């Protein structure tokens, strides 16, 4: 399986279409029903977002190592996560924890504009490159502490935190639009409860969704490094 990297322009021009279709079938079989979410997985070239060493496994429904001790999450987990946000295509979204940039690319398909923050510079740079190669244009990547959010573009209709923290970082609540939703794994290192926070005026309603295991959210309003 050889990807002719220099000539790829998004998902349609590569040789991985069959593998992607099988991944989409696997997601459907596991209960993912949201058509926009399934379509995002069908169109997003995951092989561009994982290191060459694991590229042959890019379309398995499995978490994969992306370097710096970080992982790109299992597609099924990401699909569940994305279904919960019920994006309609026009939203402004903030993502904390860019990682490989794969979920960022999925969000780019599902929302209007995506702002993403990653604390590890090398990951952010690789993600930027992969997003460019995948033809994703409505995404901006910032290197920094995502527990502070990205105030310049606030408020956000949806905020996704892809790492587990002890509490919801207050700046993220401040940057959430009225009627907006925030998803974050909350709890101890290594074992969290995925939590949906909905803002109604000045009120924040928390709803536990599922057990989860994410890498730690490290920063001013997260865990120590
Ligand atoms: N969704 C990503 C996987 C994210 S893994 C993907 O599709 O690949 C979680 C990421 O959060 C890691 O890259 C980690 O470096 C990053 N992270 C942890 N704490 C952070 C913080 N305070 N700000 C920004 N990124 C953070």
């Amino acid at each position: 399986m050889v990807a002719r990297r220099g000539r790829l322009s998004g998902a349609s021009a590569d040789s991985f279409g069959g593998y992607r279709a099988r991944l989409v079938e696997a997601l459907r079989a596991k209960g993912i029903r949201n058509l926009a979410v399934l379509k995002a997985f069908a169109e997003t070239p995951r092989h561009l977002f994982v290191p060459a060493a694991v590229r042959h496994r890019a379309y398995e429904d499995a978490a994969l190592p992306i370097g710096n001790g970080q992982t790109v999450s299992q597609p099924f987990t990401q699909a569940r996560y994305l279904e919960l946000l019920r994006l309609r295509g026009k939203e402004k979204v903030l993502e904390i924890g860019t990682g490989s940039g794969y979920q960022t690319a999925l969000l780019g398909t599902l929302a209007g504009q995506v702002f993403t923050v990653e604390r590890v510079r090398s990951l952010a740079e690789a993600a930027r490159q992969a997003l460019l190669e995948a033809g994703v244009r409505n995404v901006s990547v910032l290197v920094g502490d995502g527990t502070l959010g990205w105030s310049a573009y606030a408020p956000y209709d949806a905020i996704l935190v892809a790492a587990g923290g002890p509490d919801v970082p207050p700046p993220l609540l401040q940057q959430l639009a009225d009627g907006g939703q925030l998803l974050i794994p909350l709890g101890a290192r290594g074992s969290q409860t995925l939590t949906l926070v909905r803002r109604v005026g000045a009120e924040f309603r928390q709803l536990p969704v599922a057990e989860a295991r994410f890498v730690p959210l490290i920063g001013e309003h997260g865990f120590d490094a």
Side-chain angles (χ1 to χ4, degrees):
M1 204 158 56
V2 179
R4 290 165 298 169
R5 286 179 66 97
R7 298 179 49 200
L8 295 178
S9 61
S12 55
D14 67 46
S15 54
F16 290 81
Y19 295 93
R20 255 193 312 279
R22 241 174 286 164
L23 172 60
V24 171
E25 274 322 302
L27 295 176
R28 208 194 295 271
K30 289 175 184 174
I32 302 302
R33 291 284 175 269
N34 184 302
L35 290 180
V37 170
L38 291 169
K39 185 163 177 281
F41 279 90
E43 291 177 354
T44 306
R46 193 174 189 237
H47 64 279
L48 295 182
F49 294 90
V50 300
V54 292
R55 190 152 294 146
H56 62 290
R57 299 186 54 201
Y59 293 100
E60 289 177 18
D61 187 21
L64 294 172
I66 55 171
N68 283 85
Q70 305 300 330
T71 51
V72 52
S73 311
Q74 183 188 0
F76 175 64
T77 307
Q78 291 180 315
R80 288 273 316 275
Y81 216 91
L82 293 167
E83 269 196 332
L84 285 169
L85 291 177
R86 281 185 257 142
L87 296 167
R88 306 178 70 94
K90 295 218 179 348
E91 295 86 352
K92 186 162 54 157
V93 178
L94 175 66
E95 178 191 46
I96 307 305
T98 317
S100 67
Y102 177 60
Q103 181 169 273
T104 320
L106 294 167
L107 284 168
T109 303
L110 290 163
Q113 249 187 314
V114 183
F115 297 89
T116 183
V117 186
E118 171 56 55
R119 61 182 286 276
V120 180
R121 178 174 298 276
S122 58
L123 289 177
E125 280 167 6
R128 239 183 226 138
Q129 186 58 37
L131 287 161
L132 204 67
E133 234 177 291
V136 181
R137 301 270 177 267
N138 54 344
V139 165
S140 308
V141 183
L142 177 73
V143 180
D145 177 5
T147 68
L148 303 174
W150 191 345
S151 61
Y153 300 99
Y156 300 97
D157 304 304
I159 300 179
L160 275 93
V161 186
D167 293 297
V168 187
L172 299 185
L173 293 177
Q174 283 153 18
Q175 293 173 29
L176 187 63
D178 192 3
Q181 304 200 94
L182 182 156
L183 255 181
I184 182 169
L186 290 180
R189 279 178 190 254
S191 155
Q192 307 99 17
T193 304
L194 183 61
T195 306
L196 187 65
V197 182
R198 194 164 291 158
R199 177 173 197 161
V200 184
E203 212 184 296
F204 296 93
R205 298 179 186 158
Q206 283 203 15
L207 186 75
V209 174
E211 293 310 302
R213 272 181 57 201
F214 282 77
V215 300
L217 179 69
I218 292 166
E220 195 174 320
H221 301 283
F223 293 108
D224 295 332

